[in-house]
Amino acid sequence: MNLKLPFKTCLFIYILLRGFLPAKATPATSVYNVKDYGAKGDGKQMDAPGINKAIEAAAANGGGTVLLPAGIYLSGSIHLKSNINLLIDQGATLVAAAYGSGAVYDEPEATENDKYQDFGHSHWHNSLIWGENLENVSITGTGIIYGKGLARNSRKTDKAPNKAISLKLCKNVLIRDITIFHGGWFGILATGVDNLTIDNIKEDTNRDGMDIDCCHYVNIANCKINTPLDDGICLKSSFALNMLRATENVTITNCIVSGYDEGTVLDGTYKRTPPSDKFDLGPFGRIKFGTESNGGFKNIAISNCVFDYCRGLAIESTDGALIEDVTVTNITMRDIVNSPIYVRIGSRMRAPEGTAIGQIKRILISNVVVYNADPRQSSIISGVPGGYIDDISLHDIRIYTKGGGTREQSKREMPEVEKAYPEPERHGVTPAYGFYIRHAKNIDMHDIKLRATIDDMRPVFFIDEVSGVNLHHINTVRTLKQPVYILKDVKDFNLSQSTGTADIKVANTTYKELN
């Protein structure tokens, strides 16, 4: 029998049958609401099981968006999978519940190597959100990740989680628009992640904002990172993958880093405790290369960034890293608490036996304005004996320090401290208030203006064991009959068209003062 029904009747039957299909997502559905999988978002129930079920359902169907709608989600470890977008929507807060409160967190996994980097860098599973060997993953949305139960530190014996987001050996990753508050040891730890984009996120946290470790092809843009107790945006190249792998092909642009009291950037009060003129080491914040620096850093561009009440730019090779081909341009800094520019080779050598001292070469820093810098440490460009910084160019730079340095400080011998953890204050007060340059070659500087708010009795430049120095259009003010430049063991020095000092060429000197 050939039964033919009218088209309208067939359409009605189809619509009726659809009403009996399962409420949960089908392969044709791309959004998986965690509340359909048992999460409540009521701030009472532990919601990680429901969130993980939604992720598993999406992954089983080829991927999709796992949605956390408005609500408060108490959680333990969340396991990302490939082809998943974890969307934390407006009004949603994902809370890392306290360890021992009923939340289930994954323990630190076994690792091939934890000898040359801190425990936190050697493990990824002990996190609120983590993924390993994944592709096409994103964490997006305008909601909040609150790392309430995350530990600030961790050791081998600890089981408490210490990272908000942790990714290892992943490809094609996007983190966009989220806010991280109190993110633990690391707000974001990305190790061996390629094609990584971090865009328009806010972090107001108690340790590092983000650590980009052994990663390739990374774009960080439009981020606001407040980290008073550790680094803001930190590039690293550790030995955590049990091999040497550089961090390379990276851009950092249109970002703000700061060191205000935790939480006071998000609430808009911008508190400073203690006041900036009374602290010892001061807040961190800042953009930094290192300290873990085994595999190196290559082809990196930093532009259009603001440093506010924090430490300055730090480029450090202390564990054998080669740092090369770096540009830093269009930077403003205010209320900087130590060296505005710190370029350092050290020989701490947390690295396999036989690793050579690292190298830093082909660095360009330009269009920088620094106001109200702490006077204790000038900008420092320093290698170590036998390890020379090479081919550094700085131009169009304005630095205004607080001044007040003494005649005794101008005579101080700078310690090498090459094996110590690299921080400007480890050197003590520098014998110059503008630039201290040591163990370097091929230094080109032009269109540099340096001022001290009150008289400083130290020279503006102290140049020690350097060959090939070209200074042009250096604008300084000599105070209290102190020399502007002190040269010690310097070869091939050229100064031209600079204020207060006649043009001069020095072929070789063991010690010379220039006024």
Side-chain angles (χ1 to χ4, degrees):
M1 180 175 64
N2 187 14
L3 179 62
K4 293 185 177 180
L5 297 176
F7 174 77
K8 290 184 178 180
T9 302
C10 293
L11 180 62
F12 172 77
I13 293 171
Y14 170 73
I15 293 172
L16 181 66
L17 289 174
R18 282 196 64 186
F20 292 97
L21 291 176
K24 293 182 181 180
T26 69
T29 301
S30 62
V31 177
Y32 299 76
N33 190 321
V34 297
K35 290 189 174 181
D36 292 335
Y37 294 85
K40 291 188 178 297
D42 60 2
K44 299 177 182 179
Q45 174 183 289
M46 292 298 171
D47 284 331
I51 296 170
N52 283 321
K53 285 179 183 178
I55 291 173
E56 290 165 3
N61 288 321
T65 295
V66 173
L67 172 65
L68 276 68
I72 299 174
Y73 299 84
L74 293 180
S75 184
S77 289
I78 294 171
H79 308 142
L80 293 176
K81 294 185 179 294
S82 293
N83 303 310
I84 297 297
N85 172 30
L86 182 65
L87 174 57
I88 305 171
D89 207 357
Q90 184 76 32
T93 300
L94 177 63
V95 180
Y99 183 79
S101 66
V104 177
Y105 286 102
D106 298 315
E107 294 188 10
E109 71 275 32
T111 183
E112 294 181 50
N113 162 60
D114 60 2
K115 184 177 180 181
Y116 306 116
Q117 61 282 328
D118 293 341
F119 181 81
H121 282 289
S122 305
H123 303 275
W124 296 266
H125 295 186
N126 54 334
S127 306
L128 175 61
I129 302 170
W130 68 266
E132 183 174 352
N133 293 307
L134 304 180
E135 295 185 1
N136 309 320
V137 177
S138 57
I139 302 171
T140 64
T142 52
I144 297 171
I145 296 173
Y146 175 23
K148 183 178 181 180
L150 299 179
R152 185 179 184 275
N153 297 294
S154 190
R155 302 176 299 276
K156 292 182 180 180
T157 56
D158 293 336
K159 294 184 178 180
N162 59 36
K163 293 170 273 282
I165 299 172
S166 183
L167 300 167
K168 178 185 179 185
L169 296 172
C170 297
K171 298 178 182 177
N172 307 326
V173 174
L174 170 66
I175 303 174
R176 175 177 286 160
D177 297 334
I178 61 171
T179 294
I180 298 175
F181 171 58
H182 199 74
W185 197 339
F186 306 97
I188 299 171
L189 174 63
T191 307
V193 176
D194 293 350
N195 298 323
L196 168 64
T197 298
I198 301 175
D199 183 29
N200 193 40
I201 73 163
K202 295 187 289 293
E203 291 193 62
D204 199 337
T205 187
N206 53 331
R207 286 287 309 267
D208 280 7
M210 63 180 77
D211 276 31
I212 309 303
D213 189 6
C214 304
C215 297
H216 295 174
Y217 291 92
V218 179
N219 301 109
I220 301 168
N222 310 309
C223 296
K224 302 172 185 68
I225 312 296
N226 185 63
T227 53
L229 300 175
D230 221 321
D231 300 314
I233 299 174
C234 196
L235 305 183
K236 297 190 175 181
S237 59
S238 73
F239 211 80
L241 299 174
N242 205 36
M243 64 178 179
L244 296 176
R245 193 174 200 259
T247 287
E248 59 184 285
N249 298 318
V250 177
T251 65
I252 302 172
T253 190
N254 300 339
C255 293
I256 301 174
V257 290
S258 60
Y260 293 98
D261 292 0
E262 185 191 10
T264 68
V265 167
L266 288 182
D267 70 16
T269 58
Y270 305 103
K271 292 180 180 177
R272 302 181 179 191
T273 304
S276 61
D277 60 344
K278 295 181 181 178
F279 58 70
D280 183 14
L281 301 181
F284 279 75
R286 80 179 171 189
I287 297 173
K288 185 175 83 167
F289 294 52
T291 297
E292 283 76 11
S293 50
N294 300 99
F297 305 90
K298 304 176 183 178
N299 213 32
I300 294 169
I302 301 172
S303 63
N304 303 337
C305 290
V306 171
F307 293 58
D308 182 24
Y309 182 58
C310 62
R311 302 186 180 204
L313 172 73
I315 300 175
E316 304 171 354
S317 170
T318 60
D319 301 320
L322 168 62
I323 302 178
E324 59 181 350
D325 305 321
V326 175
T327 66
V328 181
T329 189
N330 295 349
I331 304 295
T332 67
M333 302 185 188
R334 289 180 66 90
D335 300 338
I336 298 303
V337 302
N338 61 16
S339 295
I341 298 169
Y342 185 58
V343 183
R344 173 66 167 160
I345 294 176
S347 53
R348 181 182 67 167
M349 306 313 293
R350 289 176 68 181
E353 187 175 351
T355 300
I357 292 173
Q359 302 176 57
I360 298 178
K361 57 186 179 180
R362 297 192 301 276
I363 309 293
L364 171 61
I365 301 174
S366 65
N367 299 314
V368 177
V369 175
V370 180
Y371 179 73
N372 202 37
D374 189 279
R376 289 172 290 184
Q377 284 87 37
S378 67
S379 291
I380 298 172
I381 299 171
S382 179
V384 294
Y388 293 86
I389 294 171
D390 186 15
D391 194 3
I392 309 296
S393 178
L394 301 97
H395 68 84
D396 293 285
I397 294 173
R398 305 290 181 268
I399 299 177
Y400 295 79
T401 75
K402 295 179 182 179
T406 67
R407 194 178 302 275
E408 290 73 22
Q409 290 169 347
S410 72
K411 299 175 182 178
R412 182 174 178 271
E413 187 74 24
M414 278 272 286
E416 293 283 357
V417 293
E418 69 268 28
K419 297 186 181 299
Y421 186 92
E423 282 290 350
E425 68 269 8
R426 298 292 178 99
H427 302 280
V429 176
T430 54
Y433 75 81
F435 280 87
Y436 181 86
I437 305 172
R438 178 166 63 180
H439 306 312
K441 53 186 178 180
N442 302 317
I443 305 296
D444 291 305
M445 302 176 69
H446 68 84
D447 295 284
I448 310 290
K449 184 175 182 179
L450 298 154
R451 292 289 188 274
T453 303
I454 62 174
D455 285 347
D456 198 303
M457 298 181 69
R458 296 171 293 175
V460 185
F461 284 81
F462 197 114
I463 302 174
D464 185 357
E465 211 218 332
V466 180
S467 63
V469 182
N470 290 289
L471 305 182
H472 180 71
H473 278 175
I474 309 299
N475 188 315
T476 64
V477 174
R478 182 165 62 94
T479 61
L480 303 174
K481 299 182 179 179
Q482 286 299 99
V484 179
Y485 307 87
I486 291 181
L487 311 182
K488 180 182 177 183
D489 297 323
V490 172
K491 297 179 181 179
D492 299 323
F493 175 87
N494 294 282
L495 175 68
S496 62
Q497 297 185 34
S498 298
T499 60
T501 306
D503 292 2
I504 188 171
K505 293 185 178 182
V506 178
N508 193 346
T509 183
T510 57
Y511 187 85
K512 192 175 186 66
E513 297 182 357
L514 302 177
N515 295 313

